Each structure stands twice: as structure tokens, then as C-alpha cells.
């Protein structure tokens, strides 16, 4: 038995954790560059808490609030220029996966005067600035991973780079910040977290420790799946979802993702399907494909989620997502070809071909204009 397990992020979890652990911010200097989106950080109360702590600790700050969903390479390059001009000692990322992933890239660009596309080549020598992460959705787990995922228009997909130096130094997880999320966003992000756990459990890079955490994350999801269907969330429900997302993020940091994400990227890029929703639409059929190579693990997944069969999982996803999108056969062939170019495929049990991926898409989605 040989494996490595590395999560250097200090995790603070619970009600009021930002204010309770304000000394963590002052550990990283006196100038903070806040990275977030336009509105959600304000609406959640997270931004107000962070600003109050920075002010109390005598930390100067500047905010960059132009991170959109699925941030582009160009967007983080713009933010990187702004960060270099401010000369921060730390970045504070507030939001869902988009601001958190963007902040990791900006942390590298803030101290490396390079174009953002060089990040994917490992083309930066100066160590990125420290990132402190405050998630306000329960799904991505980006607060505990060494990945930054950005949209690359030139390749018509998402690309990621990984570096242990972009692990956030600290993460503050307070379920109160997720209470302003709609049912749709809550469902989509919960399924994103579930897919991280499922894919991490199946990944060729899985370890005994990541397997334990992945199964627990799935069980936590199962405990609130009926609430996800009704949309009546208590704070306790949201805390369970946030904890499940955290566990799944720790898993993801060790294992990477598989064909689910590789295929889902095209649904998001070409059809603007939210990331978690895209994963949910594809999850069951990817699991069906994986049975030939990992039947025992697939059985564990189904039990953990609380369904009897792959069809049962597919039905659950359909009830949660109410899918009615339609796709052309030509689109699916393009999506399969693009997915084969991603790094995720190498982690996938069964070594799928482009033909396998095409059949997964055909079985997952409603198709029109078939050839």
C-alpha cells in the first residue's frame, strides 16, 4: 500500500468562523486583495464579515468584483494586472467555485508578470500569494484543492492547472453564507459535490484515505437528498451539504476527476448548462460504463447514495434536475472528441474511447436531428 495524501489548508468550519478566527487573516500581512463576483458575496453576508475583520485587524484592502461564472483566462489576466498594481500580501476569495478558482490564478499572476495562458505550462517561478477562501456555495470544494479551472475560448472548453502552492492557506466554511442560494443553485452545487465524491472514489488515483472520505461525502448527500427535492432547507441541512462539499473537495485534491467532468465541460461551454447540473445529467451513464472495470466500487456508490441501481440514480438525477435539454448528434460527437483531449480521461476506469464517450452522451441526453 503506497500513497500520498496532502491537504495543507487550515479549515475553520461553523457559524461565525470568519469573525471568530480573525487572527488568521493578520498572519498573512497587511494588504488584502479581495476576489469575488458582483452580488452574491454581498447578499450572503460573507463580504461584510470579511471586510469587518480586515478593518479590525488594520489590514488595507481592495476589491475586485468582476469575476463572472466560469471565468475566462482573459478575466484572470485583467485581475492579475490589478493585483500587481495594488501589491497585496494575500488574496481573499469569496464566492462559489468561480471566484475561488480565479483567485488561485490571480495569486500567481500577482507576483509573476506573465500572460495567464502560461499558467497551464507551469510557467511561473515566484510562489503565488497566500489565498484565504470563503465559499458561499456548497459544491466545488475549491477551498481545499490545488486546482484552478478556467474557460479557454481558443480550445472551446475548460482547462485547469494544478500546483501545490495554490492550495488556499485557510478556508472559512459558514453555512449561513449559503442560505441566500436558490433551490436551483443549491441542487446544482450539491450534485457537483456528489460528482466529486463519486469520481474521486472511482478515479485511478484514489487512495484508501480518499475512499473513506468519498463514501462519507456520498452518505451525507444521501441524508439530505429528499430535502433537495422539496427545496425546504434548514440551516442544519445546508451545513450537511457544506460538509459534504468539503469532504468531496479533499477527495478531489487527491484524485482529480474523470469522464463526468470531461464531458460536462462542453455542456457548460457550448450550452451554458451550470457545471453541477451538467455533471448530474451525465453521472448515471458514466457510472454504468464504469461497472465493467469497477463493479464493486459502483455497488458501494449506489448504496452510499441510497439507490438500488444505476437506473435508480438516473431517476434521482432526473427528479432533481428535470432535464429537458435537447442536443444534436453532431454536437455529441464534438463533445466526445473534446473530452478525449482532457486530462480527466486518464483517471477514468475502463479507459473510455471517443466512441464510449459518445454513447454515454447519447444515453444521458435527449437527442434530435440524429444522423
Amino acid at each position: 500500500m503506497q500513497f500520498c495524501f496532502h491537504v495543507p489548508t487550515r479549515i475553520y468550519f461553523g457559524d461565525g468562523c470568519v469573525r471568530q478566527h480573525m487572527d488568521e487573516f493578520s498572519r498573512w500581512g497587511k494588504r488584502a486583495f479581495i476576489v469575488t463576483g458582483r452580488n452574491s458575496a454581498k447578499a450572503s453576508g460573507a463580504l461584510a464579515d470579511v471586510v469587518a475583520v480586515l478593518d479590525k485587524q488594520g489590514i488595507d484592502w481592495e476589491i475586485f468584483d468582476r469575476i463572472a461564472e466560469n471565468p475566462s483566462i482573459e478575466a484572470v489576466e485583467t485581475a492579475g494586472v490589478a493585483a500587481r498594481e495594488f501589491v497585496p500580501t494575500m488574496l481573499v476569495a469569496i464566492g462559489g467555485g468561480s471566484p475561488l478558482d480565479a483567485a488561485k490564478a490571480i495569486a500567481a499572476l500577482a507576483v509573476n508578470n506573465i500572460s495567464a495562458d502560461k499558467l497551464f505550462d507551469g510557467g511561473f517561478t515566484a510562489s503565488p500569494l497566500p489565498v484565504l477562501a470563503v465559499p458561499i456555495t456548497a459544491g466545488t470544494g475549491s477551498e481545499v484543492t490545488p486546482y484552478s479551472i478556467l474557460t479557454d475560448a481558443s480550445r472551446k472548453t475548460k482547462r485547469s492547472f494544478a500546483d501545490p502552492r495554490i492550495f488556499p492557506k485557510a478556508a472559512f466554511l459558514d453555512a449561513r453564507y449559503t442560505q441566500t442560494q436558490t433551490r436551483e443553485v443549491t441542487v446544482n452545487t450539491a450534485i457537483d459535490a456528489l460528482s466529486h465524491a463519486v469520481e474521486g472514489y472511482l478515479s485511478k488515483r484514489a487512495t484508501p484515505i480518499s475512499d473513506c472520505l468519498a463514501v462519507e461525502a456520498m452518505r451525507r448527500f444521501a441524508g439530505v437528498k429528499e430535502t433537495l427535492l422539496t427545496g425546504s432547507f434548514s440551516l442544519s441541512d445546508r451545513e450537511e451539504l457544506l460538509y459534504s462539499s468539503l469532504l468531496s473537495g479533499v477527495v478531489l485534491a487527491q484524485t482529480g476527476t474523470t469522464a463526468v467532468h470531461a464531458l460536462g465541460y462542453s455542456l457548460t461551454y457550448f450550452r451554458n448548462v451550470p457545471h453541477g447540473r451538467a455533471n448530474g445529467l451525465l453521472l448515471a451513464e458514466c457510472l454504468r460504463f464504469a461497472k465493467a472495470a469497477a463493479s464493486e466500487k459502483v455497488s458501494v456508490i449506489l448504496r452510499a447514495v441510497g439507490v438500488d441501481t444505476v437506473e435508480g440514480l438516473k431517476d434521482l438525477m432526473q427528479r432533481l434536475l428535470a432535464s429537458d435539454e435537447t442536443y444534436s448528434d453532431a454536437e455529441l460527437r464534438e463533445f466526445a472528441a473534446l473530452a478525449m483531449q482532457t486530462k480527466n480521461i486518464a483517471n477514468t476506469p475502463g479507459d473510455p474511447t471517443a466512441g464510449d464517450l459518445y454513447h454515454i452522451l447519447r444515453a444521458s441526453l435527449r437527442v434530435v436531428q440524429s444522423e
Side-chain angles (χ1 to χ4, degrees), residues 21-22 61 70 80 126 129 137 145 200 205 209 220 232-233 239 259 279 283 306 318 322 343-344 348 358 366:
H21 300 285
M22 65 175 65
W61 56 272
N70 305 307
L129 293 176
T137 63
T145 73
R205 292 166 51 192
I209 299 177
R220 295 283 180 157
S232 300
F233 303 103
E239 194 165 64
N279 291 348
L283 191 60
Q318 178 63 35
K343 294 179 286 188
N344 317 65
T348 306
Y358 166 74
R366 294 178 60 196

Side-chain angles (χ1 to χ4, degrees), residues 56-68:
K56 189 168 185 178
Q57 297 290 87
I59 298 171
D60 294 331
W61 56 272
E62 181 174 292
I63 188 167
F64 187 93
D65 60 358
R66 288 178 278 156
I67 300 299

